[in-house]
């Protein structure tokens, strides 16, 4: 029995698609969820499996350490690609880990390296989705892609990423498993761009949500960093990640925080370190309950609303 477990954003989808183009596993059981559903190895369907093989993609080892150790204890063999916090990595012959904690990489790029660029166009989509535009364009140039083709891959990555954000699956246009199934027939993402009805729906939803997001004024904050506050609404949850990435590219020397109200009154926060100083986003978010991520981009799932001033103080201290 084999299991593919992947983050429901562009990076997770594009990383798995590359691997399965190279090594098809049509009978695999696939597990995914909204982008912030990060404890995927703790899912009930994995609670008692033994002697199986698993591929894990774009899922923080730190956030899944206990269920990972339980899976290894039951003699499951695991291949793990990721770029989030993972210290220490368990040492066992049952675990093959390709985990690189660099602000300049993502899971799709790590898989691309492992496959020696065989499906680099999908890796480019994943990199664009993870806001690694410079890296994505560099690889696109090495593949002799035109500017128009590169922009099409950028839109694929950004729209796949847009679909991953939400408090629950109900917030999304498509379940990530459904969106993964939509890309499966396409070895070439440029054909996916031309033929996908899912991409048409995502483009329409993105344009509508972004129009609402761009009407939101900056939240009061001192200094060069920018903060935005979105209401408890599906559009705000859906567009949060792509909006934060857009604002980060607008002002590369500034840090950005997007605060979204959760249904229970807590706050969900997305942090982008300055693109010219991609550091410490995870360090900041881990100061608060349910926080985590990586150096360039991190988040907090459920922060008590009365901690917002503490958060802003820490945010402006880490990024003066």
């Amino acid at each position: 029995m084999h299991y593919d477990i992947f983050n429901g954003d562009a990076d997770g989808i594009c990383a798995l698609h590359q691997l399965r183009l190279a090594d098809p596993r049509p009978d695999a059981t696939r597990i995914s969820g909204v982008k912030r559903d990060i404890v995927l190895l703790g899912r009930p369907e994995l609670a008692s499996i033994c002697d199986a093989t698993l591929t894990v993609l774009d899922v923080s080892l730190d956030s899944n350490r206990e269920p990972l150790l339980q899976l290894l204890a039951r003699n499951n063999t695991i291949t793990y690609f990721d770029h989030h916090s993972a210290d220490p990595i368990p040492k066992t012959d049952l675990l093959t880990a390709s985990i690189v904690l660099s602000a300049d990489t993502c899971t799709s790029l790590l898989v691309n390296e492992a496959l020696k660029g065989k499906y680099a166009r999908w890796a480019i989509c994943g990199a664009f989705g993870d806001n690694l535009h410079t890296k994505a364009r560099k690889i696109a140039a090495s593949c002799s892609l035109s500017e128009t083709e590169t922009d099409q891959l950028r839109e694929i990555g950004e729209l796949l990423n847009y679909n991953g954000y939400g408090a629950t699956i109900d917030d999304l246009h498509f379940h990530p498993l459904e969106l993964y199934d939509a890309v499966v027939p396409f070895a070439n993402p440029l054909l996916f761009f031309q033929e996908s009805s899912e991409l048409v729906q995502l483009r329409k939803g993105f344009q509508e949500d972004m129009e609402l997001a761009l009407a939101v004024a900056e939240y009061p904050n001192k200094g060069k960093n920018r903060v935005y506050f979105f209401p408890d609404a599906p559009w705000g949850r859906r567009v949060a990640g792509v909006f934060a990435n857009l604002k980060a590219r607008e002002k590369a020397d500034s840090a950005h925080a997007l605060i979204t109200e959760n249904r229970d009154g807590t706050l969900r926060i997305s942090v982008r370190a300055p693109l010219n100083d991609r550091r410490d986003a995870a360090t900041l978010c881990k100061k608060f309950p349910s926080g985590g991520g990586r150096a360039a981009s991190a988040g907090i799932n459920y922060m008590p609303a009365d901690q917002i001033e503490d958060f802003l103080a820490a945010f402006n201290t880490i990024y003066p």
Side-chain angles (χ1 to χ4, degrees):
M1 193 67 185
H2 181 80
Y3 295 81
D4 284 331
I5 302 151
F6 61 103
N7 196 313
D9 68 357
D11 195 21
I13 290 172
C14 294
L16 178 59
H17 188 38
Q18 291 175 80
L19 282 177
R20 294 297 157 251
L21 285 169
D23 179 21
R25 291 182 180 265
D27 297 328
T29 297
R30 297 193 173 92
I31 296 173
S32 190
V34 298
K35 182 178 177 67
R36 293 287 183 91
D37 185 2
I38 54 175
V39 192
L40 294 176
L41 297 188
R43 287 286 186 88
E45 53 265 51
L46 298 175
S48 60
I49 64 169
C50 302
D51 304 310
T53 59
L54 299 87
T55 300
V56 184
L57 298 158
D58 202 36
V59 176
S60 166
L61 193 156
D62 275 356
S63 298
N64 288 269
R65 187 172 301 277
E66 287 307 313
L68 172 64
L69 293 175
Q70 293 170 17
L71 286 164
L72 292 170
R74 296 196 300 273
N75 203 45
N76 294 293
T77 302
I78 301 173
T79 301
Y80 210 122
F81 286 90
D82 191 39
H83 60 131
H84 299 88
S85 300
D87 186 26
I89 298 173
K91 294 182 179 180
T92 167
D93 291 341
L94 293 172
L95 176 64
T96 301
S98 298
I99 299 177
V100 178
L101 308 184
S102 168
D104 294 323
T105 196
C106 63
T107 307
S108 289
L109 294 180
L110 296 176
V111 171
N112 182 57
E113 291 176 10
L115 296 179
K116 302 186 186 306
K118 189 171 184 179
Y119 302 103
R121 293 181 178 189
W122 280 109
I124 293 166
C125 295
F128 273 125
D130 245 27
N131 209 31
L132 295 173
H133 282 228
T134 300
K135 199 74 172 282
R137 291 190 182 280
K138 182 177 180 180
I139 298 173
S142 73
C143 294
S144 300
L145 293 172
S146 70
E147 184 174 348
T148 296
E149 291 170 331
T150 301
D151 282 342
Q152 290 175 353
L153 299 188
R154 173 192 55 75
E155 187 176 14
I156 291 171
E158 291 180 348
L159 290 177
L160 294 181
N161 204 51
Y162 158 71
N163 184 76
Y165 279 85
T168 67
I169 293 296
D170 290 341
D171 281 338
L172 310 186
H173 292 281
F174 300 99
H175 193 294
L177 295 178
E178 184 181 357
L179 202 52
Y180 171 76
D181 286 342
V183 309
V184 164
F186 297 94
N188 184 350
L190 295 173
L191 292 179
F192 177 71
F193 182 88
Q194 296 171 8
E195 300 179 16
S196 168
S197 61
E198 291 83 3
L199 211 60
V200 172
Q201 182 174 333
L202 288 177
R203 185 180 294 116
K204 181 176 183 293
F206 172 77
Q207 291 169 348
E208 293 171 352
D209 290 350
M210 186 60 80
E211 183 176 349
L212 294 170
L214 291 173
V216 174
E218 285 186 43
Y219 187 79
N221 186 53
K222 63 182 181 181
K224 65 181 181 180
N225 299 324
R226 296 195 291 182
V227 177
Y228 295 87
F229 200 112
F230 281 5
D232 172 17
W235 69 263
R237 293 187 290 271
R238 283 194 299 263
V239 82
V242 178
F243 178 84
N245 289 344
L246 171 67
K247 291 300 176 181
R249 293 195 301 275
E250 284 180 356
K251 288 193 173 183
D253 290 326
S254 298
H256 291 78
L258 176 57
I259 304 168
T260 306
E261 290 181 308
N262 288 321
R263 294 167 184 171
D264 62 2
T266 61
L267 302 176
R268 178 178 297 240
I269 302 179
S270 296
V271 173
R272 299 293 184 271
L275 290 182
N276 291 338
D277 188 16
R278 302 166 69 92
R279 59 169 178 84
D280 291 338
T283 301
L284 167 64
C285 291
K286 285 180 179 180
K287 294 178 180 289
F288 299 87
S290 73
R294 51 194 174 88
S297 174
I300 303 167
N301 286 336
Y302 303 100
M303 189 184 79
D306 60 6
Q307 293 186 16
I308 187 169
E309 294 303 324
D310 293 337
F311 168 79
L312 291 175
F315 176 64
N316 290 316
T317 297
I318 286 180
Y319 304 114

